[in-house]
Amino acid sequence: MNSAHTIGIIGGGQLARMLYEASIGLDLEIKLLAEGPEVSAARVVHEVTVGDYTDPQVVTDFAAGIDVLTFDHEHVPTSLLTKLEAAGLSVRPGPAALVHAQDKALMRARLAGELGLPAPRWRVCRDAEALRALGEEIGWPLIAKESRGGYDGHGVWKIEGAEQCEEPFAQSLEESAGEKVEIVGEEFVDFARELSVIVARNPHGECVSYPVSETVQEHGICVETTTPAPGLDPARAAQIQRLGRRIAAELGVVGLLAVELMERRDGEVVVNELAMRPHNTGHWSIDGAVTSQFENHLRAVAGLPLGDPSARQPWCTMRNVLGGSRDDLTAELATVGRDGGLKVQFYGKSIRPGRKVGHVTTYGDDLADVQGRARAAAAYLMGLAG
Ligand SMILES: Nc1ncnc2c1ncn2[C@@H]1O[C@H](COP(=O)(O)OP(=O)(O)O)[C@@H](O)[C@H]1O
Ligand SMILES: [Mg+2]
Protein backbone atom coordinates (compact mmCIF):
# COMPACT_ATOMS: atom_id res chain seq x y z
CA MET A 1 0.00 0.00 0.00
CA ASN A 2 1.57 3.31 -1.02
CA SER A 3 1.02 6.07 1.44
CA ALA A 4 1.53 9.80 1.10
CA HIS A 5 3.80 11.67 3.44
CA THR A 6 3.26 15.38 2.78
CA ILE A 7 -0.32 16.57 3.13
CA GLY A 8 -1.32 20.03 1.93
CA ILE A 9 -4.33 21.57 3.66
CA ILE A 10 -6.22 24.50 2.15
CA GLY A 11 -7.78 26.71 4.80
CA GLY A 12 -6.36 27.76 8.14
CA GLY A 13 -9.33 27.47 10.49
CA GLN A 14 -9.69 25.36 13.62
CA LEU A 15 -10.24 22.17 11.62
CA ALA A 16 -6.79 22.50 10.06
CA ARG A 17 -5.37 23.30 13.48
CA MET A 18 -6.80 20.08 14.94
CA LEU A 19 -5.69 18.10 11.86
CA TYR A 20 -2.19 19.35 12.53
CA GLU A 21 -2.32 18.11 16.10
CA ALA A 22 -3.35 14.66 14.83
CA SER A 23 -0.55 14.62 12.23
CA ILE A 24 2.20 14.75 14.83
CA GLY A 25 1.82 11.22 16.18
CA LEU A 26 1.60 9.84 12.64
CA ASP A 27 4.68 11.84 11.66
CA LEU A 28 2.97 13.17 8.56
CA GLU A 29 4.23 16.47 7.21
CA ILE A 30 1.61 19.21 6.96
CA LYS A 31 1.81 22.22 4.67
CA LEU A 32 -0.86 24.86 5.04
CA LEU A 33 -2.32 27.35 2.59
CA ALA A 34 -3.82 29.94 4.94
CA GLU A 35 -5.90 33.06 4.48
CA GLY A 36 -3.55 35.07 6.69
CA PRO A 37 -0.58 34.68 9.05
CA GLU A 38 -2.68 34.93 12.21
CA VAL A 39 -5.56 32.54 11.44
CA SER A 40 -6.17 29.63 13.83
CA ALA A 41 -4.02 26.93 12.17
CA ALA A 42 -1.32 29.32 10.90
CA ARG A 43 -0.48 30.06 14.53
CA VAL A 44 0.69 26.46 15.09
CA VAL A 45 1.67 24.90 11.73
CA HIS A 46 5.27 25.73 10.82
CA GLU A 47 5.07 25.38 7.02
CA VAL A 48 2.55 28.05 6.06
CA THR A 49 1.91 29.76 2.74
CA VAL A 50 -0.36 32.77 2.94
CA GLY A 51 -2.44 33.18 -0.20
CA ASP A 52 -5.82 33.27 -1.90
CA TYR A 53 -7.26 29.76 -2.43
CA THR A 54 -9.37 30.99 -5.35
CA ASP A 55 -6.24 32.08 -7.29
CA PRO A 56 -5.20 29.23 -9.65
CA GLN A 57 -1.52 30.25 -9.58
CA VAL A 58 -1.38 30.32 -5.78
CA VAL A 59 -2.98 26.89 -5.47
CA THR A 60 -0.87 25.39 -8.29
CA ASP A 61 2.36 26.63 -6.66
CA PHE A 62 1.23 25.29 -3.29
CA ALA A 63 0.39 21.89 -4.84
CA ALA A 64 3.90 21.55 -6.28
CA GLY A 65 5.32 20.72 -2.84
CA ILE A 66 2.82 18.14 -1.57
CA ASP A 67 1.74 14.50 -2.14
CA VAL A 68 -1.96 14.97 -1.35
CA LEU A 69 -4.27 17.97 -1.21
CA THR A 70 -7.08 18.15 1.35
CA PHE A 71 -9.25 20.82 2.95
CA ASP A 72 -10.39 22.67 6.04
CA HIS A 73 -13.45 24.04 4.15
CA GLU A 74 -15.31 23.35 0.92
CA HIS A 75 -14.93 26.73 -0.78
CA VAL A 76 -12.10 26.01 -3.24
CA PRO A 77 -13.57 26.31 -6.77
CA THR A 78 -14.47 22.86 -8.15
CA SER A 79 -13.10 23.75 -11.59
CA LEU A 80 -9.67 24.54 -10.14
CA LEU A 81 -9.55 21.21 -8.29
CA THR A 82 -10.57 19.37 -11.46
CA LYS A 83 -7.61 20.91 -13.30
CA LEU A 84 -5.17 19.99 -10.52
CA GLU A 85 -6.44 16.43 -10.47
CA ALA A 86 -6.15 16.17 -14.26
CA ALA A 87 -2.54 17.36 -13.91
CA GLY A 88 -1.83 14.36 -11.65
CA LEU A 89 -2.27 15.69 -8.11
CA SER A 90 -4.05 13.50 -5.52
CA VAL A 91 -6.99 15.66 -4.43
CA ARG A 92 -8.77 14.00 -1.50
CA PRO A 93 -11.70 14.15 -1.49
CA GLY A 94 -11.60 14.53 -5.29
CA PRO A 95 -13.72 17.21 -6.94
CA ALA A 96 -16.24 14.69 -8.34
CA ALA A 97 -17.12 13.73 -4.75
CA LEU A 98 -16.52 17.11 -3.11
CA VAL A 99 -18.94 18.91 -5.38
CA HIS A 100 -21.78 17.23 -3.43
CA ALA A 101 -20.63 19.04 -0.30
CA GLN A 102 -20.08 22.29 -2.22
CA ASP A 103 -23.37 22.43 -4.09
CA LYS A 104 -26.61 21.62 -2.25
CA ALA A 105 -28.64 21.50 -5.49
CA LEU A 106 -26.33 18.87 -6.99
CA MET A 107 -26.31 16.98 -3.68
CA ARG A 108 -30.13 16.82 -3.60
CA ALA A 109 -30.27 15.73 -7.26
CA ARG A 110 -27.78 12.91 -6.67
CA LEU A 111 -28.91 11.64 -3.26
CA ALA A 112 -32.67 12.12 -3.48
CA GLY A 113 -33.10 12.08 -7.27
CA GLU A 114 -30.71 9.36 -8.42
CA LEU A 115 -30.10 7.26 -5.32
CA GLY A 116 -33.61 7.61 -3.87
CA LEU A 117 -32.32 8.41 -0.38
CA PRO A 118 -34.69 10.13 2.08
CA ALA A 119 -34.78 13.94 1.76
CA PRO A 120 -37.19 16.81 2.36
CA ARG A 121 -39.24 17.68 -0.72
CA TRP A 122 -37.12 20.14 -2.67
CA ARG A 123 -36.75 22.01 -5.96
CA VAL A 124 -34.32 24.48 -7.48
CA CYS A 125 -36.25 27.78 -7.75
CA ARG A 126 -35.28 30.30 -10.44
CA ASP A 127 -37.12 33.22 -8.89
CA ALA A 128 -39.52 34.30 -6.16
CA GLU A 129 -42.45 33.16 -8.27
CA ALA A 130 -41.10 29.60 -8.41
CA LEU A 131 -40.50 29.58 -4.64
CA ARG A 132 -44.06 30.82 -4.09
CA ALA A 133 -45.40 28.05 -6.31
CA LEU A 134 -43.47 25.46 -4.28
CA GLY A 135 -44.93 26.85 -1.03
CA GLU A 136 -48.44 26.75 -2.44
CA GLU A 137 -47.89 23.16 -3.54
CA ILE A 138 -46.31 21.68 -0.40
CA GLY A 139 -47.35 24.21 2.28
CA TRP A 140 -45.68 26.87 4.42
CA PRO A 141 -43.21 27.50 5.93
CA LEU A 142 -40.44 26.66 3.48
CA ILE A 143 -36.67 26.67 3.79
CA ALA A 144 -34.71 28.45 1.03
CA LYS A 145 -30.96 27.91 0.72
CA GLU A 146 -28.13 29.11 -1.42
CA SER A 147 -26.74 26.12 -3.28
CA ARG A 148 -23.14 27.21 -2.69
CA GLY A 149 -21.03 29.22 -0.31
CA GLY A 150 -23.21 28.95 2.84
CA TYR A 151 -21.99 27.90 6.28
CA ASP A 152 -23.16 28.16 9.90
CA GLY A 153 -26.65 29.12 8.74
CA HIS A 154 -25.49 31.92 6.40
CA GLY A 155 -27.45 31.45 3.18
CA VAL A 156 -30.43 29.66 4.81
CA TRP A 157 -33.82 31.42 5.16
CA LYS A 158 -37.04 30.31 6.76
CA ILE A 159 -39.85 31.56 4.53
CA GLU A 160 -43.12 31.89 6.42
CA GLY A 161 -45.35 32.75 3.48
CA ALA A 162 -45.70 34.06 -0.08
CA GLU A 163 -44.81 37.63 0.94
CA GLN A 164 -41.26 36.60 2.02
CA CYS A 165 -40.28 34.83 -1.20
CA GLU A 166 -38.31 37.77 -2.63
CA GLU A 167 -35.87 37.80 0.29
CA PRO A 168 -33.43 35.03 -0.65
CA PHE A 169 -33.20 36.31 -4.22
CA ALA A 170 -32.56 39.87 -3.04
CA GLN A 171 -29.87 38.79 -0.57
CA SER A 172 -28.22 35.89 -2.35
CA LEU A 173 -24.97 36.28 -4.24
CA GLU A 174 -25.01 35.26 -7.89
CA GLU A 175 -21.64 33.60 -7.62
CA SER A 176 -19.52 32.00 -4.95
CA ALA A 177 -15.80 31.62 -5.77
CA GLY A 178 -16.63 31.82 -9.47
CA GLU A 179 -19.38 29.15 -9.42
CA LYS A 180 -23.08 29.87 -9.98
CA VAL A 181 -25.32 30.08 -6.89
CA GLU A 182 -28.92 28.87 -7.15
CA ILE A 183 -31.75 28.93 -4.62
CA VAL A 184 -32.98 25.55 -3.43
CA GLY A 185 -36.50 25.57 -1.97
CA GLU A 186 -37.15 22.85 0.60
CA GLU A 187 -39.99 21.55 2.70
CA PHE A 188 -39.58 22.86 6.26
CA VAL A 189 -38.97 19.71 8.30
CA ASP A 190 -40.51 20.12 11.75
CA PHE A 191 -37.83 17.83 13.14
CA ALA A 192 -37.76 16.25 16.60
CA ARG A 193 -33.98 16.69 16.56
CA GLU A 194 -30.93 16.78 14.31
CA LEU A 195 -28.44 13.92 14.03
CA SER A 196 -25.16 13.37 12.30
CA VAL A 197 -23.02 10.45 11.28
CA ILE A 198 -19.39 10.67 10.32
CA VAL A 199 -17.66 8.06 8.21
CA ALA A 200 -14.08 7.78 7.03
CA ARG A 201 -13.18 6.12 3.73
CA ASN A 202 -9.72 5.53 2.31
CA PRO A 203 -8.71 5.21 -1.37
CA HIS A 204 -8.74 1.40 -1.07
CA GLY A 205 -12.47 1.47 -0.22
CA GLU A 206 -12.09 0.71 3.50
CA CYS A 207 -14.83 2.58 5.35
CA VAL A 208 -15.70 2.99 9.04
CA SER A 209 -18.59 4.81 10.78
CA TYR A 210 -18.55 6.70 14.04
CA PRO A 211 -21.51 6.31 16.41
CA VAL A 212 -24.46 8.57 15.50
CA SER A 213 -24.52 11.92 17.35
CA GLU A 214 -27.44 14.09 18.38
CA THR A 215 -26.65 17.67 17.36
CA VAL A 216 -28.15 20.99 18.40
CA GLN A 217 -27.99 23.99 16.06
CA GLU A 218 -28.93 27.49 17.23
CA HIS A 219 -29.19 30.26 14.62
CA GLY A 220 -27.65 27.78 12.15
CA ILE A 221 -24.54 27.17 14.33
CA CYS A 222 -23.78 23.84 15.97
CA VAL A 223 -23.71 24.46 19.73
CA GLU A 224 -23.82 20.96 21.21
CA THR A 225 -23.51 17.27 20.38
CA THR A 226 -24.12 14.16 22.46
CA THR A 227 -22.80 10.79 21.35
CA PRO A 228 -24.35 8.31 20.99
CA ALA A 229 -27.66 10.06 20.24
CA PRO A 230 -29.74 9.45 23.40
CA GLY A 231 -32.72 7.15 22.92
CA LEU A 232 -31.92 6.28 19.32
CA ASP A 233 -33.07 2.76 18.53
CA PRO A 234 -29.96 0.61 17.85
CA ALA A 235 -31.44 -0.72 14.60
CA ARG A 236 -32.08 2.87 13.42
CA ALA A 237 -28.55 3.87 14.44
CA ALA A 238 -27.09 0.97 12.45
CA GLN A 239 -29.24 1.96 9.46
CA ILE A 240 -27.92 5.55 9.66
CA GLN A 241 -24.31 4.28 9.82
CA ARG A 242 -24.97 2.14 6.73
CA LEU A 243 -26.50 5.16 4.99
CA GLY A 244 -23.31 7.13 5.69
CA ARG A 245 -21.09 4.36 4.32
CA ARG A 246 -23.31 3.96 1.27
CA ILE A 247 -23.16 7.69 0.43
CA ALA A 248 -19.37 7.67 0.86
CA ALA A 249 -19.02 4.69 -1.48
CA GLU A 250 -21.51 5.95 -4.10
CA LEU A 251 -19.84 9.37 -4.27
CA GLY A 252 -16.31 7.97 -4.06
CA VAL A 253 -15.37 10.04 -1.01
CA VAL A 254 -11.78 9.76 0.22
CA GLY A 255 -11.37 11.28 3.68
CA LEU A 256 -14.17 12.07 6.08
CA LEU A 257 -17.82 12.40 5.18
CA ALA A 258 -20.25 13.98 7.64
CA VAL A 259 -23.93 13.44 6.92
CA GLU A 260 -26.21 15.94 8.67
CA LEU A 261 -29.67 14.47 9.22
CA MET A 262 -33.06 15.57 10.53
CA GLU A 263 -35.18 13.12 12.53
CA ARG A 264 -38.89 13.61 11.91
CA ARG A 265 -41.32 13.22 14.78
CA ASP A 266 -42.30 9.75 13.53
CA GLY A 267 -38.65 8.64 13.73
CA GLU A 268 -37.95 8.75 9.97
CA VAL A 269 -34.61 10.32 9.14
CA VAL A 270 -33.90 12.58 6.14
CA VAL A 271 -30.56 13.86 4.86
CA ASN A 272 -29.94 17.59 5.38
CA GLU A 273 -26.48 18.15 3.91
CA LEU A 274 -23.00 16.72 3.53
CA ALA A 275 -19.52 17.86 4.53
CA MET A 276 -16.28 16.20 3.39
CA ARG A 277 -13.78 17.23 6.03
CA PRO A 278 -13.61 17.05 9.81
CA HIS A 279 -16.95 18.28 11.12
CA ASN A 280 -18.05 20.16 14.23
CA THR A 281 -20.28 17.21 15.18
CA GLY A 282 -17.19 14.96 15.29
CA HIS A 283 -15.10 17.02 17.70
CA TRP A 284 -16.18 14.72 20.57
CA SER A 285 -14.01 12.01 18.98
CA ILE A 286 -10.71 13.71 19.92
CA ASP A 287 -10.83 12.18 23.36
CA GLY A 288 -14.14 10.29 23.18
CA ALA A 289 -13.28 7.77 20.46
CA VAL A 290 -10.42 5.32 20.05
CA THR A 291 -9.40 7.22 16.89
CA SER A 292 -10.36 10.88 16.41
CA GLN A 293 -12.02 12.14 13.24
CA PHE A 294 -8.91 14.22 12.59
CA GLU A 295 -6.59 11.22 12.72
CA ASN A 296 -8.94 9.19 10.53
CA HIS A 297 -9.18 11.98 7.95
CA LEU A 298 -5.38 12.04 7.73
CA ARG A 299 -5.13 8.25 7.62
CA ALA A 300 -7.74 8.17 4.85
CA VAL A 301 -6.23 10.87 2.65
CA ALA A 302 -2.73 9.44 3.19
CA GLY A 303 -3.91 6.01 2.01
CA LEU A 304 -3.28 4.37 5.40
CA PRO A 305 -5.51 1.80 7.14
CA LEU A 306 -8.25 3.46 9.20
CA GLY A 307 -8.43 3.57 13.01
CA ASP A 308 -11.21 2.25 15.23
CA PRO A 309 -14.02 4.86 15.51
CA SER A 310 -15.65 3.29 18.60
CA ALA A 311 -16.51 5.44 21.62
CA ARG A 312 -14.38 4.97 24.72
CA GLN A 313 -17.12 5.86 27.21
CA PRO A 314 -20.92 5.41 27.35
CA TRP A 315 -21.69 9.14 26.84
CA CYS A 316 -19.82 12.09 25.47
CA THR A 317 -21.02 15.71 25.15
CA MET A 318 -19.25 18.43 23.19
CA ARG A 319 -20.30 22.02 23.71
CA ASN A 320 -19.04 24.83 21.47
CA VAL A 321 -17.62 27.95 23.07
CA LEU A 322 -18.77 31.01 21.14
CA GLY A 323 -17.23 34.42 21.64
CA GLY A 324 -18.89 36.26 24.52
CA SER A 325 -17.87 38.75 27.14
CA ARG A 326 -14.55 37.16 28.20
CA ASP A 327 -11.56 38.19 26.12
CA ASP A 328 -8.89 35.73 27.34
CA LEU A 329 -10.05 32.14 27.47
CA THR A 330 -6.75 30.65 28.61
CA ALA A 331 -6.91 32.84 31.69
CA GLU A 332 -10.12 30.97 32.58
CA LEU A 333 -8.44 27.55 32.59
CA ALA A 334 -7.79 27.92 36.30
CA THR A 335 -11.55 27.88 36.81
CA VAL A 336 -12.83 25.34 34.25
CA GLY A 337 -9.79 23.15 34.93
CA ARG A 338 -11.22 22.32 38.34
CA ASP A 339 -13.34 19.73 36.54
CA GLY A 340 -10.51 17.29 35.84
CA GLY A 341 -12.73 15.26 33.49
CA LEU A 342 -13.42 18.23 31.21
CA LYS A 343 -11.33 18.51 28.04
CA VAL A 344 -10.80 21.92 26.48
CA GLN A 345 -9.80 22.89 22.95
CA PHE A 346 -9.18 26.57 22.29
CA TYR A 347 -8.72 27.62 18.68
CA GLY A 348 -6.33 30.53 19.20
CA LYS A 349 -8.79 32.97 17.60
CA SER A 350 -9.54 36.51 18.61
CA ILE A 351 -12.87 36.73 20.42
CA ARG A 352 -15.80 38.17 18.50
CA PRO A 353 -19.40 37.78 19.64
CA GLY A 354 -20.89 34.53 18.33
CA ARG A 355 -17.65 33.32 16.71
CA LYS A 356 -16.60 29.69 17.33
CA VAL A 357 -13.51 30.09 19.50
CA GLY A 358 -13.24 26.69 21.18
CA HIS A 359 -15.10 23.70 22.54
CA VAL A 360 -15.28 21.61 25.68
CA THR A 361 -15.97 17.90 26.00
CA THR A 362 -17.11 15.72 28.90
CA TYR A 363 -17.44 11.93 29.20
CA GLY A 364 -18.92 9.40 31.56
CA ASP A 365 -21.70 6.95 32.26
CA ASP A 366 -24.31 9.42 33.58
CA LEU A 367 -25.86 11.34 30.69
CA ALA A 368 -27.34 14.19 32.75
CA ASP A 369 -24.04 14.76 34.55
CA VAL A 370 -22.03 14.67 31.29
CA GLN A 371 -24.33 17.18 29.58
CA GLY A 372 -24.63 19.41 32.64
CA ARG A 373 -20.87 19.76 33.11
CA ALA A 374 -20.23 20.58 29.45
CA ARG A 375 -23.02 23.17 29.41
CA ALA A 376 -21.86 24.82 32.62
CA ALA A 377 -18.25 25.07 31.45
CA ALA A 378 -19.18 26.47 28.03
CA ALA A 379 -21.57 29.00 29.57
CA TYR A 380 -18.84 30.09 31.97
CA LEU A 381 -16.30 30.53 29.15
CA MET A 382 -18.83 32.55 27.17
CA GLY A 383 -19.31 34.82 30.16
CA LEU A 384 -22.93 33.73 30.58
CA ALA A 385 -22.54 32.32 34.09
CA GLY A 386 -20.23 32.17 37.08
N1 LIG B 1 -35.44 21.62 5.22
C1 LIG B 1 -35.20 22.06 6.47
N2 LIG B 1 -36.19 22.03 7.42
C2 LIG B 1 -35.97 22.51 8.67
N3 LIG B 1 -34.80 23.02 9.09
C3 LIG B 1 -33.78 23.06 8.22
C4 LIG B 1 -33.90 22.58 6.87
N4 LIG B 1 -32.73 22.75 6.25
C5 LIG B 1 -31.89 23.32 7.15
N5 LIG B 1 -32.51 23.51 8.33
C6 LIG B 1 -31.91 24.09 9.56
O1 LIG B 1 -30.92 25.05 9.20
C7 LIG B 1 -29.62 24.61 9.64
C8 LIG B 1 -28.57 25.04 8.61
O2 LIG B 1 -28.87 24.48 7.33
P1 LIG B 1 -27.73 23.77 6.47
O3 LIG B 1 -28.30 23.42 5.14
O4 LIG B 1 -27.15 22.67 7.27
O5 LIG B 1 -26.73 24.99 6.26
P2 LIG B 1 -25.22 25.24 6.68
O6 LIG B 1 -24.46 24.99 5.42
O7 LIG B 1 -25.21 26.66 7.10
O8 LIG B 1 -24.88 24.27 7.78
C9 LIG B 1 -29.77 23.11 9.82
O9 LIG B 1 -28.82 22.59 10.72
C10 LIG B 1 -31.20 23.02 10.36
O10 LIG B 1 -31.24 23.37 11.73
MG1 LIG C 1 -25.29 22.32 8.06
Side-chain angles (χ1 to χ4, degrees):
M1 211 186 259
N2 288 333
S3 62
H5 189 76
T6 304
I7 316 279
I9 303 175
I10 297 188
Q14 65 266 21
L15 303 179
R17 181 178 169 111
M18 291 183 271
L19 279 169
Y20 182 62
E21 183 183 18
S23 75
I24 295 169
L26 301 173
D27 198 22
L28 294 169
E29 191 177 344
I30 299 292
K31 292 189 178 178
L32 184 72
L33 178 59
E35 300 79 352
E38 291 297 322
V39 296
S40 178
R43 297 166 70 111
V44 295
V45 176
H46 67 274
E47 291 186 76
V48 182
T49 305
V50 172
D52 175 2
Y53 59 79
T54 65
D55 181 333
Q57 195 56 52
V58 168
V59 178
T60 306
D61 291 347
F62 176 69
I66 60 176
D67 298 322
V68 167
L69 183 65
T70 193
F71 312 96
D72 157 280
H73 59 70
E74 42 261 332
H75 304 312
V76 183
T78 326
S79 52
L80 174 52
L81 297 176
T82 306
K83 281 188 196 131
L84 289 169
E85 192 174 55
L89 181 69
S90 290
V91 180
R92 293 177 173 166
L98 184 65
V99 72
H100 300 94
Q102 297 179 310
D103 188 319
K104 290 174 180 174
L106 269 174
M107 178 274 294
R108 286 272 180 252
R110 182 74 185 273
L111 298 195
E114 288 175 32
L115 301 178
L117 301 178
R121 277 167 289 174
W122 70 283
R123 189 181 299 157
V124 171
C125 296
R126 289 181 46 228
D127 51 23
E129 197 44 55
L131 192 59
R132 222 170 271 135
L134 180 65
E136 258 132 47
E137 195 180 312
I138 69 175
W140 308 98
L142 287 181
I143 292 284
K145 296 182 183 182
E146 288 179 325
S147 58
R148 281 182 173 261
Y151 67 98
D152 284 351
H154 299 286
V156 176
W157 295 265
K158 187 175 178 191
I159 308 291
E160 299 289 349
E163 66 291 349
Q164 291 178 3
C165 285
E166 302 286 349
E167 202 179 313
F169 297 92
Q171 290 184 19
S172 169
L173 302 171
E174 285 186 4
E175 281 195 353
S176 168
E179 316 269 352
K180 188 170 183 296
V181 177
E182 297 180 295
I183 295 294
V184 180
E186 285 186 6
E187 163 198 356
F188 173 77
V189 178
D190 181 25
F191 52 76
R193 59 177 171 177
E194 291 182 81
L195 302 171
S196 99
V197 67
I198 293 179
V199 306
R201 185 172 180 276
N202 75 13
H204 317 290
E206 187 193 355
C207 194
V208 297
S209 318
Y210 283 85
V212 177
S213 299
E214 174 175 325
T215 77
V216 182
Q217 274 63 233
E218 283 172 10
H219 311 294
I221 299 184
C222 174
V223 293
E224 181 176 307
T225 72
T226 294
T227 312
L232 187 67
D233 172 49
R236 179 73 76 172
Q239 178 204 345
I240 292 170
Q241 290 179 313
R242 277 198 303 278
L243 173 72
R245 290 195 298 269
R246 170 155 182 225
I247 295 172
E250 294 275 5
L251 302 185
V253 177
V254 175
L256 288 181
L257 168 72
V259 184
E260 296 180 11
L261 303 142
M262 295 179 278
E263 185 183 51
R264 293 188 194 269
R265 294 185 188 277
D266 65 4
E268 196 212 339
V269 164
V270 295
V271 174
N272 175 32
E273 64 155 344
L274 308 180
M276 293 180 200
R277 50 168 168 75
H279 194 251
N280 200 158
T281 65
H283 290 356
W284 68 274
S285 65
I286 294 176
D287 301 289
V290 176
T291 312
S292 80
Q293 63 163 347
F294 298 97
E295 179 173 342
N296 260 339
H297 185 71
L298 291 174
R299 284 173 173 250
V301 303
L304 295 166
L306 301 175
D308 179 359
S310 309
R312 292 174 189 260
Q313 301 223 25
W315 298 108
C316 179
T317 292
M318 184 284 321
R319 188 86 196 177
N320 273 351
V321 178
L322 306 181
S325 57
R326 298 193 199 282
D327 57 11
D328 181 2
L329 294 181
T330 39
E332 305 303 335
L333 278 172
T335 304
V336 293
R338 280 187 212 135
D339 179 348
L342 180 92
K343 303 292 280 190
V344 173
Q345 288 272 337
F346 293 145
Y347 303 157
K349 290 168 143 182
S350 55
I351 312 276
R352 282 202 305 267
R355 186 182 200 200
K356 287 178 186 170
V357 290
H359 71 262
V360 296
T361 318
T362 49
Y363 318 86
D365 48 19
D366 180 336
L367 176 60
D369 173 69
V370 165
Q371 290 185 324
R373 284 163 44 225
R375 287 171 190 166
Y380 176 81
L381 290 167
M382 291 160 73
L384 301 175

